[in-house]
């Protein structure tokens, strides 16, 4: 369905907050730009989007989001290059995935044009909010939630699509120590693990808190059936390097089809790094750690980019990863961020210029 949205209305702030922001000390996702995009689904159709000052929204307590958690989101970033041009990275992937997620939890699909034109217009308006300090970017959070009312456990009849922006520094500081989780599961076959549904993340908080209490920062999720195979690292996809081979778990009902994940795979393959996309046994990691062939582990996601792992806990034992030179994590992070910030050519055609 194509919707004509050439009439996006724009109401600008009277006074920008930008002078209050310390762009040299940006946290992740805590400072918000001046404007946001809002688009309503009412009477069976997505309406014309509006760009308005970032503000609170008022909801009736009976809105279904509060009761049944009907919500999906995306994570994206805008990057500014040395000439002041602004770029997105593979935005069509996020647009498509938002609808894949929506479909799974019975949210009406959002027309592509509303997502793409709305996003582009908002980022153009927020151009001064795209930071240039090293490692920072404008984190973009498109999301949809059920604003329609009712306590009946069924899909809402009204939704809101919003995009908010947060100039942000790195998601994690330093390497992560992770705990391989064998009791709690993130996802199950036939479930919603592949969708970027808000509830998937809420379900991770408690097991992660338990891991933090034990001295780890994140959990490595294993398959819900046997807990023998690793699947994701916290809110990121997971990569493992054994000798010179880069391994990652295949996407499935249970694993998010991450944009950074697939980009890392493509870059690694193009550079002749042997890549295996296959199930990875926990036992294989333990054996490889003991015999020295486990060289690296890292998480990959939009927010965290590539986040190296310093070691993992499994049952009552801790396994440390070696400090190595020429790490794949460092190299792949440089390659992907060089493309994102327009510091190199873009052989895959992933950059998308906004301004
Ligand atoms: C992202 O990587 O952008 C995500 O959506 C993960 C989120 C938990 C920060």
């Amino acid at each position: 369905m194509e919707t004509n949205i050439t009439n996006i209305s724009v109401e600008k702030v009277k006074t920008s907050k930008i002078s209050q922001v310390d762009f040299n000390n940006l946290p992740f996702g805590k400072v918000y730009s001046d404007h946001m995009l809002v688009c309503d689904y009412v009477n069976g159709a997505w309406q014309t989007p509006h760009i308005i000052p970032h503000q609170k929204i008022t909801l009736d307590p009976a809105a279904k989001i509060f009761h049944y958690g009907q919500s999906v989101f995306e994570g994206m970033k805008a990057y500014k290059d040395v000439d002041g041009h602004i770029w997105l990275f593979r935005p069509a992937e996020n647009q498509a995935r938002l609808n894949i997620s929506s479909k799974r939890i019975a949210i009406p699909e959002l027309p592509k044009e509303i997502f793409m034109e709305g996003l582009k217009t908002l980022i153009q308006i927020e151009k001064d909010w795209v930071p240039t300090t090293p490692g920072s970017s404008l984190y973009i959070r498109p999301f949809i939630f059920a604003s329609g009312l009712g306590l009946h456990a069924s899909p809402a009849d009204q939704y809101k699509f919003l995009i908010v922006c947060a100039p942000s520094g790195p998601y994690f500081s330093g390497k992560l120590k992770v705990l391989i989780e064998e009791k709690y599961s993130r996802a199950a076959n036939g479930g919603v693990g592949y969708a970027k549904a808000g509830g998937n993340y809420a379900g991770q908080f408690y097991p992660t808190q338990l891991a933090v209490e034990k001295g780890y920062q994140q959990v490595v999720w294993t398959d819900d059936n046997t807990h023998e195979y690793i699947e994701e690292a916290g809110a990121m996809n997971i990569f493992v390097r054994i000798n010179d081979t880069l391994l990652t778990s295949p996407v499935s009902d249970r694993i998010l089809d991450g944009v950074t994940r697939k980009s890392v795979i493509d870059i690694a393959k193009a550079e002749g790094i042997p890549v295996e996309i296959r199930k990875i046994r926990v036992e294989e990691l333990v054996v490889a750690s003991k015999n020295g062939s486990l060289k690296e582990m890292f998480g990959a996601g939009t927010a965290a980019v590539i986040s190296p792992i310093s070691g993992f806990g499994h049952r009552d034992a801790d396994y440390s990863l070696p400090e190595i030179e020429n790490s794949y994590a460092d190299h792949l992070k440089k390659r992907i961020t060089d493309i994102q910030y327009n510091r190199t050519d873009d052989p895959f055609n992933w950059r998308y210029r906004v301004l």
Side-chain angles (χ1 to χ4, degrees):
M1 177 178 60
E2 288 295 299
T3 306
N4 181 355
I5 56 145
T6 46
N7 301 326
I8 300 177
S9 70
V10 178
E11 179 199 338
K12 290 213 179 157
V13 291
K14 292 199 177 61
T15 315
S16 172
K17 297 175 299 210
I18 200 161
S19 62
Q20 299 163 24
V21 176
D22 179 1
F23 278 87
N24 290 312
N25 286 297
L26 287 171
F28 180 88
K30 287 191 172 166
V31 175
Y32 310 104
S33 71
D34 282 331
H35 301 94
M36 65 187 197
L37 179 131
V38 185
C39 180
D40 286 303
Y41 179 90
V42 290
N43 300 325
W46 286 102
Q47 308 293 315
T48 303
H50 306 287
I51 291 174
I52 56 173
H54 183 106
Q55 60 191 265
K56 294 185 174 144
I57 48 181
T58 305
L59 291 173
D60 191 292
K64 290 205 178 190
I65 176 61
F66 297 131
H67 306 278
Y68 304 117
Q70 220 188 343
S71 80
V72 294
F73 71 96
E74 276 300 319
M76 309 176 71
K77 285 176 174 174
Y79 311 88
K80 195 174 270 179
D81 69 19
V82 286
D83 297 320
H85 294 303
I86 295 176
W87 303 86
L88 297 171
F89 184 70
R90 310 185 74 177
E93 298 286 338
N94 300 91
Q95 182 275 320
R97 191 173 61 189
L98 186 70
N99 278 340
I100 291 171
S101 301
S102 288
K103 187 168 182 187
R104 177 61 183 84
I105 61 166
I107 291 177
E109 290 187 22
L110 180 78
K112 179 177 180 176
E113 202 184 326
I114 291 185
F115 185 97
M116 293 303 293
E117 288 304 311
L119 175 67
K120 218 161 62 180
T121 312
L122 179 66
I123 303 308
Q124 285 166 352
I125 290 171
E126 299 303 63
K127 62 181 186 330
D128 294 338
W129 287 88
V130 185
T132 52
T133 35
S136 61
S137 58
L138 185 69
Y139 187 72
I140 306 167
R141 176 51 62 85
F143 61 107
I144 304 178
F145 67 88
S147 51
L149 311 189
L151 303 182
H152 193 278
S154 53
D157 60 355
Q158 296 189 3
Y159 296 86
K160 279 184 182 294
F161 168 57
L162 280 88
I163 308 179
V164 296
C165 302
S168 293
Y171 192 80
F172 291 119
S173 58
K175 290 190 173 185
L176 301 175
K177 201 175 151 198
V178 297
L179 178 65
I180 297 189
E181 178 60 59
E182 292 193 298
K183 175 174 179 191
Y184 298 101
S185 299
R186 179 188 168 278
N189 282 332
V192 295
Y194 68 90
K196 237 172 145 53
N200 280 347
Y201 294 78
Q204 302 191 25
F205 295 164
Y206 176 63
T208 306
Q209 275 175 348
L210 298 179
V212 168
E213 280 166 18
K214 292 183 187 155
Y216 302 91
Q217 283 92 47
Q218 291 289 317
V219 158
V220 169
W221 300 104
T222 53
D223 70 289
D224 63 298
N225 188 23
T226 65
H227 295 293
E228 284 179 15
Y229 298 92
I230 60 166
E231 302 220 309
E232 291 199 18
M236 300 176 287
N237 293 112
I238 190 161
F239 285 83
V240 173
R241 173 179 173 185
I242 296 185
N243 291 319
D244 284 338
T245 302
L246 189 61
L247 308 173
T248 193
S249 318
V251 293
S252 68
D253 267 11
R254 305 181 305 273
I255 298 184
L256 189 86
D257 187 7
V259 179
T260 309
R261 173 188 178 278
K262 57 179 137 196
S263 307
V264 163
I265 292 170
D266 287 350
I267 293 172
K269 282 182 176 168
E271 302 207 342
I273 294 175
V275 178
E276 287 181 19
I277 301 169
R278 63 161 172 85
K279 292 165 77 175
I280 305 162
R281 270 184 189 277
V282 176
E283 189 54 29
E284 190 178 352
L285 295 186
V286 171
V287 169
S289 176
K290 286 182 179 161
N291 71 22
S293 59
L294 180 64
K295 306 289 186 201
E296 288 181 72
M297 291 171 68
F298 57 88
T302 297
V305 196
I306 285 180
S307 200
I309 291 171
S310 60
F312 67 92
H314 177 238
R315 301 193 177 154
D316 290 326
D318 271 328
Y319 301 85
S320 296
L321 275 87
E323 288 290 336
I324 57 166
E325 288 181 1
N326 304 320
S327 91
Y328 283 178
D330 290 348
H331 176 70
L332 292 165
K333 181 173 180 182
K334 178 165 175 5
R335 287 286 293 124
I336 198 165
T337 53
D338 279 350
I339 295 173
Q340 290 168 333
Y341 287 86
N342 190 25
R343 293 190 288 246
T344 52
D345 59 351
D346 178 19
F348 304 97
N349 235 341
W350 287 335
R351 275 196 297 263
Y352 179 94
R353 188 163 150 187
V354 173
L355 196 73

